[in-house]
Amino acid sequence: MANFMTLHKQQGGQALRDLLAKPLGNALTVLALAFSLALPATLFMLAKNVVAVTEEWQVPNQLTVYVNQGASDAVAETLYDELSQWQEIGGTEFISPEQGLTQLRQIQGFDEAISLLDDNPLPAVIVVTPANDDAASATALAAKLRAESTVEEVRLDSDWLQRLSAIESLVLTLTVVFSGLMLMAVFLIIGNTLRLQVLNQKAEIQVLKLVGATDSYIQRPYLYTGVWLGLAGAIVAWIVTLINGLLLDTAVAKLATLYSSGFRLSGLRIDEGLILLMITGLIGLLAARLAAGKHLREIEPV
């Protein structure tokens, strides 16, 4: 067992030294692998943040009830008291026309426009939170509220959440599709690199077979080469993804400020980076095994 581990250590180390002995050609291969991996890694990072945004904003469905424009404050407050007693409603919030106008003034750019108005055009508003969070109950409650004579309009605030959920689904689908394509590209790059390496070392392989070396013994250094190439590409891809995250975080911060949010882009965590390393190392191993193994079986000693 000790001799077996020593042999693996020697062959793994020799494979790494052989890669470092040809820095230019292998560096180009590593960069090709890295940029192939950086795309799915960046898409995963974006998808993770989109999911975080949707989870943060997945509040219970809210309905905005607009009272008739001509209704008095007493009528609006009476409606508010009635709605508070409904079993389908979990919570209510009353916003008077004066409160609504004050909130509108706080929005940048509206203060000057509001100052030109002679009267307050805003109606009284009641924000209703359904007792049940499912969309069917919220839709049924909205229809019941519209039947009230003092209600002008009812808006279901979950519509934008449905759009956000559709965007999330699209981003996740793109991430899966592009990840599959790029991982296949990594597999092909490593496999083709090792195929050429086996063909270039055909004479050496024939000599090794003449002296009795088995296919598994000859193949093992190529397996380690595939793993080393995969790990090197994953490390560079991790660095590229971190740089992409820093660049995108600036744009995300500006966008979040416009929505009065403190959201910041979350980059790849250490455990996610380690998963990237393991997946790429495994792909390198499989690609080396298939490519090198096939050609090694075809090479026979002269």
Side-chain angles (χ1 to χ4, degrees):
M1 184 63 180
N3 292 335
F4 180 78
M5 296 301 297
T6 301
L7 181 61
H8 271 269
K9 182 179 178 180
Q10 291 174 349
Q11 291 183 310
Q14 185 60 47
L16 180 59
R17 287 189 292 271
D18 290 342
L19 287 176
L20 296 177
K22 301 177 181 179
L24 181 58
N26 291 321
L28 294 176
T29 302
V30 170
L31 288 177
L33 294 172
F35 287 111
S36 298
L37 292 167
L39 177 59
T42 302
L43 284 175
F44 170 78
M45 179 182 64
L46 294 177
K48 180 181 69 170
N49 282 273
V50 170
V51 172
V53 169
T54 55
E55 290 178 351
E56 180 180 343
W57 287 350
Q58 286 292 346
V59 297
N61 293 325
Q62 289 186 333
L63 298 93
T64 304
V65 179
Y66 295 91
V67 183
N68 289 333
Q69 183 68 40
S72 63
D73 291 344
V75 172
E77 291 177 359
T78 300
L79 177 63
Y80 170 73
D81 293 335
E82 292 178 359
L83 296 182
S84 301
Q85 305 301 320
W86 286 17
Q87 294 182 351
E88 302 96 325
I89 296 177
T92 54
E93 179 185 359
F94 181 76
I95 302 176
S96 66
E98 291 75 18
Q99 291 174 330
L101 191 63
T102 301
Q103 294 177 2
L104 195 60
R105 286 181 185 276
Q106 296 174 355
I107 300 177
Q108 185 177 4
F110 280 87
D111 191 21
E112 295 182 1
I114 292 174
S115 63
L116 300 176
L117 299 175
D118 296 330
D119 300 318
N120 187 353
L122 299 179
V125 174
I126 303 174
V127 179
V128 173
T129 302
N132 296 322
D133 293 343
D134 59 284
S137 300
T139 303
L141 179 58
K144 184 176 179 180
L145 289 169
R146 292 188 182 98
E148 293 292 320
S149 58
T150 55
V151 173
E152 179 74 22
E153 184 182 358
V154 177
R155 292 186 180 179
L156 185 58
D157 294 342
S158 64
D159 292 344
W160 67 275
L161 284 177
Q162 296 177 1
R163 298 186 185 98
L164 186 61
S165 178
I167 294 174
E168 175 189 351
S169 177
L170 175 62
V171 172
L172 292 175
T173 302
L174 289 175
T175 301
V176 172
V177 171
F178 281 102
S179 296
L181 292 175
M182 292 299 101
L183 291 178
M184 180 59 67
V186 170
F187 182 89
L188 294 176
I189 291 172
I190 296 177
N192 186 61
T193 300
L194 292 175
R195 179 183 68 84
L196 295 176
Q197 186 174 345
V198 170
L199 294 178
N200 289 334
Q201 297 175 345
K202 181 178 179 180
E204 298 177 16
I205 294 172
Q206 289 176 330
V207 171
L208 288 173
K209 287 193 173 184
L210 280 174
V211 298
T214 62
D215 285 348
S216 60
Y217 176 86
I218 300 173
Q219 185 184 34
R220 198 172 298 130
Y222 297 104
L223 300 181
Y224 278 110
T225 300
V227 173
W228 289 128
L229 287 173
L231 292 178
I235 292 172
V236 177
W238 192 354
I239 296 173
V240 172
T241 304
L242 292 177
I243 295 173
N244 291 339
L246 293 175
L247 296 175
L248 291 172
D249 185 58
T250 303
V252 170
K254 292 180 180 179
L255 181 62
T257 302
L258 296 177
Y259 287 90
S260 301
S261 172
F263 181 81
R264 291 296 180 270
L265 195 70
S266 175
L268 291 181
R269 302 192 307 267
I270 294 178
D271 57 337
E272 294 167 344
L274 293 177
I275 291 174
L276 175 64
L277 292 174
M278 289 188 293
I279 291 176
T280 312
L282 179 61
I283 291 175
L285 178 64
L286 294 176
R289 184 174 182 83
L290 290 177
K294 177 179 181 298
H295 292 285
L296 283 175
R297 288 191 296 270
E298 295 174 353
I299 297 176
E300 293 296 337
V302 178

